[in-house]
Amino acid sequence: MSSTKKKLKRSEQSLLIFIQALQGQTVVVELHNDIVMKGKLDSVDDSMNLTLSDALCETPEGDRSQLGLVWIKGSKLRYVHMSNTLEVDATVDKYRTMLRKASTKVYTEETRHLNLKETQNIEPS
């Protein structure tokens, strides 16, 4: 490994960040009970719970139904499939960059807020 590469945080090396990076993409989700859901991945939380919109559900018997918005518990996931044309590295790197920018922005705003409070608490001598 090159010493010029930035060391990733443990949270940035997990399966969770990969699935979070797929937000906005159409995915196919297989559940432990053999039900298959296909839809646009709207959100993923830290427990890997998913929200799919425009979801199509297919049962093991082959029955299909359009469900619209679906919430799926993370512990029920077997597989999450994505498009074969998706550039995985670029997608995850883009998501990591977005997280870092958001983290830096929050830190900067909190620091600015604390500095403002300290300035307001200073009494003139």
Side-chain angles (χ1 to χ4, degrees):
M1 181 186 270
S2 169
S3 62
T4 60
K5 279 202 168 200
K6 192 170 191 174
K7 183 159 173 67
L8 297 174
K9 295 178 187 175
R10 183 176 175 89
S11 63
E12 293 180 352
Q13 298 177 29
S14 70
L15 178 62
L16 177 62
I17 197 165
F18 171 69
I19 294 175
Q20 288 174 331
L22 295 175
Q23 291 178 96
Q25 304 286 328
T26 298
V27 295
V28 175
V29 178
E30 290 183 44
L31 306 179
H32 287 298
N33 60 0
D34 296 325
I35 289 177
V36 176
M37 300 272 197
K38 179 180 181 179
K40 179 182 169 201
L41 183 58
D42 287 336
S43 66
V44 182
D45 68 15
D46 290 342
S47 298
M48 228 180 288
N49 300 318
L50 311 177
T51 304
L52 298 179
S53 60
D54 299 323
L56 178 66
C57 175
E58 184 174 340
T59 65
E61 295 79 27
D63 298 328
R64 292 182 178 200
S65 55
Q66 189 71 38
L67 299 177
L69 189 65
V70 175
W71 181 82
I72 303 170
K73 188 171 180 164
S75 63
K76 302 299 180 189
L77 298 176
R78 180 181 294 156
Y79 299 110
V80 176
H81 302 274
M82 75 236 163
S83 168
N84 291 336
T85 61
L86 182 72
E87 294 183 30
V88 176
D89 290 342
T91 302
V92 172
D93 285 344
K94 183 178 175 183
Y95 187 73
R96 282 184 183 134
T97 301
M98 186 217 40
L99 285 178
R100 288 183 188 132
K101 284 181 181 177
S103 171
T104 302
K105 183 178 180 183
V106 168
Y107 176 76
T108 303
E109 288 176 1
E110 286 176 353
T111 304
R112 188 178 308 132
H113 181 70
L114 289 174
N115 288 340
L116 189 66
K117 271 183 136 179
E118 289 174 1
T119 305
Q120 290 172 350
N121 290 335
I122 297 175
E123 295 181 22
S125 36

